[in-house]
Amino acid sequence: TPIVEVDHLSKRYGSGTFALNDVSLNINEGEILALLGPNGAGKTTLISTICGLVSPSSGTVRVGGHDIRKDWRAARRLIGLVPQEIALEPFEKVIDCVRFTRGLYGEAPDDAYLEEVLRSLALWDKRDARTRELSGGMKRRVLIAKALSHRPKVLFLDEPTAGVDVALRREMWLVVDELRKRGVTIILTTHYLEEAEEMADRIGVINKGQLMLVKPTAELMGEFGKKQ
Ligand code: ADP
Ligand code: ADP
């Protein structure tokens, strides 16, 4: 069964237009799905609703079989989220920062897992550095390490390459590729087709709150007349 099940999800903020309009979608374990769409399409709303941070106007979300509204605690444990706007504590050491987040989930410390996460993100050598000493790319990787700290089953990355230069975008693609090899399930948002193509197994195109289509990357790129 899919790890994430989104069923007829709609969201209207106040009396405005629908930010999400009847979205249904399943995500399988080990899969990397990119939600592709222009600014204002509803990508952040979709991710925030799946993670239980925004309440839907109608529809349901299940994560690992747990209803995100009715069984929030159980569902939330399975989710790691890297939101768009998030800051690190500048004077905190990398390793403490990740430990702290794990603690927020009430998980017992697990230094072996912590090391594994930091190594997989090429941060092990920087574990005792203060976050303010890190480069932009490293900071982003620390945010991912924090999101992975409680060993979630699904990782959400909201615009992981927003506002970064080309070199950093490529670095992020490599990070995602490394996580893929480790079997992490990832849902990310982007407004670059090239980026979705590079990272994802499947691409969902979202526009004006509607999920226009969801297709395997190779199939979708074939339709654009490119070789995959
Ligand atoms: P994207 O992530 O694709 O840029 P968003 O999910 O942020 O899209 O936004 C979808 C639509 O919902 C936009 O029209 C946006 O203005 C609106 N919206 C997003 N968040 C809020 C909010 N908190 N209150 C009111 N409208 C919102
Ligand atoms: P969650 O994954 O549940 O969203 P966060 O780690 O994003 O948790 O942060 C929850 C709260 O703890 C926020 O108020 C944030 O400012 C604070 N916080 C997060 N990480 C640290 C840290 N390393 N040191 C101190 N405070 C932190």
Side-chain angles (χ1 to χ4, degrees), residues 3-209:
I3 183 76
V4 177
E5 300 160 272
V6 175
D7 201 22
H8 295 293
L9 200 64
S10 293
K11 174 63 186 180
R12 206 177 167 188
Y13 292 102
S15 54
T17 53
F18 281 89
L20 286 182
N21 195 342
D22 198 23
V23 172
S24 295
L25 174 70
N26 285 339
I27 296 121
N28 297 312
E29 269 199 88
E31 178 173 49
I32 301 194
L33 174 79
L35 294 168
L36 173 70
N39 278 330
K43 303 180 299 293
T44 298
T45 301
L46 179 54
I47 279 192
S48 306
T49 311
I50 294 175
C51 293
L53 303 177
V54 164
S55 57
S57 303
S58 59
T60 56
V61 173
R62 286 175 178 282
V63 180
H66 304 287
D67 188 306
I68 192 74
R69 318 266 4 258
K70 295 180 188 140
D71 202 0
W72 187 82
R73 271 172 183 281
R76 192 68 181 82
R77 289 189 103 78
L78 305 179
I79 293 171
L81 170 64
V82 183
Q84 259 178 66
E85 307 283 338
I86 183 174
L88 293 164
E89 304 290 325
F91 294 99
E92 195 161 38
K93 287 182 182 176
V94 167
I95 195 158
D96 294 336
C97 200
V98 181
R99 263 197 194 116
F100 175 88
T101 308
R102 183 177 169 90
L104 290 180
Y105 284 86
E107 300 281 339
D110 180 342
D111 285 346
Y113 176 66
L114 188 64
E115 179 172 341
E116 182 190 323
V117 166
L118 291 178
R119 283 193 188 281
S120 71
L121 293 164
L123 285 171
W124 183 243
D125 292 344
K126 294 283 176 189
R127 63 190 177 279
D128 290 323
R130 313 265 167 198
T131 63
R132 67 196 283 266
E133 298 160 16
L134 304 178
S135 68
M138 286 175 193
K139 281 183 184 147
R140 284 185 186 233
R141 281 184 271 137
V142 173
L143 296 176
I144 295 176
K146 279 160 63 69
L148 289 172
S149 68
H150 60 295
R151 211 189 277 265
K153 292 219 179 251
V154 201
L155 179 67
F156 291 83
L157 304 173
D158 197 2
E159 302 258 7
T161 63
V164 306
D165 64 21
V166 178
L168 249 185
R169 280 176 66 197
R170 296 200 174 279
E171 185 190 307
M172 190 53 66
W173 297 354
L174 293 175
V175 167
V176 169
D177 201 47
E178 177 63 27
L179 296 174
R180 171 213 304 281
K181 286 180 194 145
R182 289 167 186 266
V184 181
T185 307
I186 299 177
I187 298 171
L188 61 93
T189 65
T190 178
H191 45 256
Y192 301 109
L193 173 64
E194 178 200 14
E195 181 160 299
E197 179 190 8
E198 189 68 35
M199 295 197 278
D201 304 316
R202 258 199 318 160
I203 298 177
V205 178
I206 180 162
N207 193 28
K208 294 183 179 161

